[in-house]
Amino acid sequence: MGVNTMQNQSTPSAQAHAKTLRSAMTDAERKLWSGLRGERLGVKFRRQHPLGRYIADFACLDPKLIVELDGSQHANQQDYDQRRDAFLKAQGFEVMRFASNEALQNPEGVRVVILECLQRLMNERADAPIPAFPQRGKEPAPALPQSGKASEHFPASLLPPMGEGRDGGFPAPVP
């Protein structure tokens, strides 16, 4: 398992509850979903997506972003929301919260804020160093001798055919 792999994708009860929630979306969720679905912001979002034992209103898995719409009931469940956010952040997600009425009254403004966050996350990921791991099943290329042609020192079976990397796709010069 990778370092950033979720310990468990989701529980069976979260999966079942997510399915129920998808069929009973609130007006605010429907309004925001119409602006997120179909990669309208350039990335794929999932609605009512189970993660562990929790369900995210909207989840983008790459880059890792959770968007939550909070109705009036969230005023009474702040401890639960904090535990939930801590779990999601431990899985590498950024969590954004909006009041449900914001999604209804200013859906374009909410989408702009989400888009700005997505752009920041993608820029941060692009700035991160990329480890240079050898490809699976590939041996390191043998070093060429200082003089002579590669074909004089290596069997033809080890050399790629012309046009596939041996000479950068260009025909070999005629001696």
Side-chain angles (χ1 to χ4, degrees), residues 105-169:
Q105 295 170 357
N106 186 13
E108 191 58 32
V110 170
R111 284 184 47 200
V112 167
V113 172
I114 293 169
L115 182 60
E116 289 170 352
C117 183
L118 287 168
Q119 289 170 337
R120 180 182 50 78
L121 291 173
M122 288 189 273
N123 288 339
E124 287 172 1
R125 184 176 63 191
D127 292 341
I130 300 171
F133 295 112
Q135 293 181 352
R136 179 183 261 178
K138 303 273 184 179
E139 295 297 321
L144 290 175
Q146 293 298 328
S147 63
K149 294 181 181 177
S151 58
E152 294 172 359
H153 301 283
F154 296 101
S157 63
L158 290 178
L159 297 173
M162 292 300 291
E164 292 186 21
R166 179 170 165 190
D167 290 312

Side-chain angles (χ1 to χ4, degrees), residues 9 19 29 31-32 68 80 91 96 130 136 138 141 145 149 162 164 169:
Q9 291 299 314
K19 187 174 182 178
E29 289 169 339
K31 184 81 166 178
L32 184 55
E68 290 293 315
Y80 173 82
Q91 303 306 315
M96 298 182 78
I130 300 171
R136 179 183 261 178
K138 303 273 184 179
K149 294 181 181 177
M162 292 300 291
E164 292 186 21

Side-chain angles (χ1 to χ4, degrees), residues 23-88:
S23 64
M25 292 175 70
T26 66
D27 291 340
E29 289 169 339
R30 253 191 303 286
K31 184 81 166 178
L32 184 55
W33 179 239
S34 71
L36 297 178
R37 67 185 305 171
E39 297 187 22
R40 290 194 171 122
L41 296 182
V43 295
K44 179 180 174 116
F45 272 93
R46 299 161 187 249
R47 63 188 170 110
Q48 304 301 339
H49 184 68
L51 296 162
R53 62 186 202 115
Y54 300 102
I55 300 168
D57 288 342
F58 303 100
C60 176
L61 303 182
D62 187 27
K64 290 184 162 190
L65 176 64
I66 302 292
V67 178
E68 290 293 315
L69 293 181
D70 293 342
S72 58
Q73 78 278 10
H74 285 268
N76 299 328
Q77 62 182 43
Q78 289 178 352
D79 290 341
Y80 173 82
D81 285 343
Q82 287 174 350
R83 285 191 309 274
R84 184 175 178 278
D85 288 357
F87 171 81
L88 295 170

